[in-house]
Amino acid sequence: MSSESWPPPLKEWVARCLGQMTDANRAEAQAELRESIANAFAEKTLWTTDWAGVQLKSLMPKAPPVLTSLKRKTNDTPPMSKKAKKAAAQKRNDANLDFGDQAALNRRAERFQREHDIERQKSMRGQASLQANNQNAHLFNRISRSDSPSAFGTNPDDPEADPNVLDWDKYTIVGTNQELFKDYLRLTSEPKPETIRPYSVLQQTLIELKKRWKEKVSYNWICNQFKSLRQDLTVQRIKNEFTVQVYEIHARMALESSDMVEYNQCQATLKNLYDLGIPGKHEEFTAYRILMLLHGRNKSELNLYVGTLTPRQKRDSAVHHALRVQRAISMGNYHALFEMYLNAPNMGAYIMDYFIDRERTRALMTMTKAYRTITVCFIQNELGFETVSDTLKFIETHGSAFFTNPNAPDRDKTVECKSAAPQLAQVYEDKYRKVGIKGAI
């Protein structure tokens, strides 16, 4: 659980609890603190809990011990030495100390709180201008180790945080660059504000990029600009609906341009953003993820992922379509599969394009076992081809061009199944037994 997703009230509550801990109760209080946060995360109530009113039992004042005064019978007690008398006097003095004194505990907690507030003000002094700017309310507080190594030089989209040490936005920056377009360069050092565009400029950049895409600008240039836009969002730790929109748009463009590397990177980041509770087209990309898992034939992960879907998600038309595709493939119902391929919602057909030829080969293998001859027209209708020429091209490239009437018109040609079946099986083994997914996360 990354502490980047903690709401500000939770962070303030954690800081207050840390200030109230003593050497005597630290271990018990830290264990109870972790358990409270873990339970809230599991129940998805991090943002709805009134943390200001939560009190740890280990930090609550304990009742003073009840001291029972026993009258000592002087006649029955043997005389004590000086050393024994001194030890007994010390015990009586210690017993008179009230460790559960409410006022003392309150004074101690207030002292720790004051010390924590002073340290917090010191660390936040350099960020005064940032806190005064209401436009930066979308920035998430950063929690990381001050001595942790920088992640620059690796993938700039990867989130980094250490939930063990509170560090109040020590590394957060706000860009000052006003250029709408900027080439993507992998960071090799800590970013400088003059090279990073602020939130308001990034919003204008996205509007311009969408216009350029409609004008049929080169995808390579568009992709470069989107990676630069994503990088500026990442280094400023901007995680909101605008961030989700940027990744969703780039993912769709990547699908349309057959760029699975960038699509998979966007899909992985979107999953993290959705898990934070940030709204977006969650169901649409849930359907895409199911189809991608079908493409990779990762049955175990697919079953686990489908098991986490809520009834509301399953009722969505795109998710319902993807689940029907999964069912058709598992049951070998190729007739239903290719009907759903031709009627896929959103951009699902772009992902299905990656595994549809594999399923067509499987379907044609089944058909050649069931029939003696099959017409090209029948194959076109059953396997979801748009034209006869596309059907013939598929038959020829998959080694099954054994026609009983080779001189007939293309639409009337008939495939001789007995000769085509072993060739199809060999092509399937050579071409589709292994699946390679570019950019898979």
Side-chain angles (χ1 to χ4, degrees):
M1 174 180 58
S2 173
S3 51
E4 286 187 20
S5 59
W6 289 4
L10 172 56
K11 295 178 181 178
E12 294 177 1
W13 176 73
V14 171
R16 188 172 67 252
C17 291
L18 291 175
Q20 294 176 359
M21 292 181 189
T22 64
D23 293 338
N25 63 13
R26 188 177 305 279
E28 181 184 0
Q30 287 181 348
E32 186 178 358
L33 182 70
R34 294 191 190 98
E35 182 181 1
S36 299
I37 297 175
N39 292 339
F41 179 81
E43 298 171 1
K44 298 183 178 180
T45 58
L46 282 178
W47 290 83
T48 57
T49 301
D50 180 15
W51 292 105
V54 177
Q55 179 65 46
L56 296 180
K57 294 182 179 178
S58 54
L59 296 180
M60 294 177 67
K62 294 181 173 58
V66 179
L67 301 178
T68 305
S69 58
L70 298 176
K71 291 185 178 180
R72 186 178 56 174
K73 295 183 179 180
T74 55
N75 295 334
D76 298 335
T77 304
M80 293 188 295
S81 63
K82 289 184 178 181
K83 190 174 181 180
K85 289 180 179 180
K86 186 176 181 180
Q90 183 65 34
K91 281 186 178 181
R92 287 195 299 271
N93 291 336
D94 293 342
N96 290 332
L97 294 177
D98 186 3
F99 291 102
D101 186 89
Q102 178 69 40
L105 287 176
N106 289 340
R107 288 194 299 272
R108 186 184 186 94
E110 289 173 0
R111 185 173 71 254
F112 276 105
Q113 184 64 36
R114 285 197 302 272
E115 292 174 356
H116 174 75
D117 291 341
I118 292 173
E119 291 298 324
R120 181 179 177 183
Q121 289 173 6
K122 288 180 180 179
S123 64
M124 293 296 290
R125 192 169 296 158
Q127 303 291 335
S129 60
L130 172 62
Q131 299 296 331
N133 189 349
N134 291 332
Q135 292 182 352
N136 294 328
H138 54 275
L139 296 176
F140 273 62
N141 284 336
R142 173 63 182 275
I143 301 177
S144 66
R145 287 192 186 273
S146 59
D147 58 347
S148 63
S150 173
F152 302 112
T154 60
N155 189 344
D157 291 328
D158 289 343
E160 52 171 14
D162 190 337
N164 299 316
V165 178
L166 293 177
D167 187 2
W168 301 96
D169 273 357
K170 182 175 180 180
Y171 299 107
T172 300
I173 65 171
V174 177
T176 59
N177 192 316
Q178 298 298 313
E179 297 179 4
L180 284 179
F181 302 119
K182 187 186 72 171
D183 289 339
Y184 169 75
L185 294 173
R186 185 177 293 276
L187 293 175
T188 57
S189 61
E190 292 188 1
K192 299 179 181 179
E194 58 268 22
T195 64
I196 306 299
R197 293 165 292 185
Y199 183 64
S200 57
V201 175
L202 294 177
Q203 290 177 308
Q204 293 299 320
T205 299
L206 179 62
I207 294 174
E208 291 298 323
L209 288 177
K210 289 193 290 185
K211 290 181 181 178
R212 299 293 179 92
W213 180 250
K214 292 179 180 179
E215 296 170 359
K216 305 296 182 182
V217 177
S218 167
Y219 171 74
N220 290 332
W221 182 84
I222 286 285
C223 180
N224 181 277
Q225 293 300 316
F226 263 97
K227 291 176 70 174
S228 177
L229 174 56
R230 287 159 43 188
Q231 185 183 68
D232 287 355
L233 289 170
T234 300
V235 297
Q236 296 177 96
R237 304 194 192 102
I238 301 174
K239 293 184 179 180
N240 57 9
E241 293 185 43
F242 175 75
T243 310
V244 170
Q245 186 182 13
V246 168
Y247 279 93
E248 288 176 345
I249 293 174
H250 192 188
R252 296 188 189 102
M253 291 180 179
L255 276 180
E256 191 172 343
S257 303
S258 301
D259 185 357
M260 295 305 293
V261 174
E262 290 302 324
Y263 169 77
N264 280 309
Q265 289 183 6
C266 291
Q267 176 74 292
T269 305
L270 281 171
K271 182 180 182 300
N272 294 331
L273 294 173
Y274 292 145
D275 288 344
L276 294 177
I278 304 175
K281 302 296 184 181
H282 194 181
E283 284 73 21
E284 176 187 350
F285 282 85
T286 296
Y288 296 160
R289 182 169 177 80
I290 294 173
L291 295 177
M292 279 298 300
L293 291 172
L294 288 172
H295 168 41
R297 293 196 291 195
N298 193 336
K299 294 183 180 179
S300 58
E301 185 176 349
L302 176 61
N303 291 335
L304 289 174
Y305 184 67
V306 171
T308 63
L309 299 180
T310 63
R312 176 178 172 274
Q313 289 175 317
K314 292 180 180 180
R315 287 194 298 270
D316 181 80
S317 59
V319 177
H320 182 65
H321 171 270
L323 294 176
R324 289 178 59 207
V325 171
Q326 177 198 12
R327 190 179 303 111
I329 291 177
S330 62
M331 296 179 64
N333 188 352
Y334 57 82
H335 181 83
L337 172 64
F338 297 115
E339 278 190 352
M340 288 183 284
Y341 168 65
L342 296 176
N343 298 284
N346 300 321
M347 302 186 72
Y350 285 94
I351 299 179
M352 295 183 71
D353 283 339
Y354 284 91
F355 63 84
I356 202 67
D357 280 350
R358 179 186 71 203
E359 299 305 321
R360 280 170 171 162
T361 305
R362 288 183 59 199
L364 193 55
M365 289 168 60
T366 303
M367 292 163 66
T368 54
K369 292 177 183 178
Y371 298 94
R372 289 186 176 181
T373 59
I374 312 174
T375 63
V376 172
C377 179
F378 179 77
I379 295 175
Q380 176 189 354
N381 293 333
E382 283 298 313
L383 303 189
F385 289 103
E386 293 184 357
T387 63
V388 173
S389 60
D390 290 341
T391 310
L392 283 174
K393 183 179 179 180
F394 175 84
I395 293 173
E396 292 169 359
T397 55
H398 287 73
S400 54
F402 297 93
F403 301 113
T404 59
N405 52 347
N407 297 325
D410 290 346
R411 187 176 182 83
D412 298 331
K413 286 182 178 180
T414 304
V415 177
E416 203 274 306
C417 296
K418 185 176 181 180
S419 301
Q423 295 298 322
L424 279 171
Q426 186 61 44
V427 170
Y428 183 82
E429 287 293 326
D430 297 341
K431 197 171 183 179
Y432 300 114
R433 182 59 67 183
K434 295 182 179 180
V435 181
I437 303 177
K438 295 181 180 180
I441 304 299

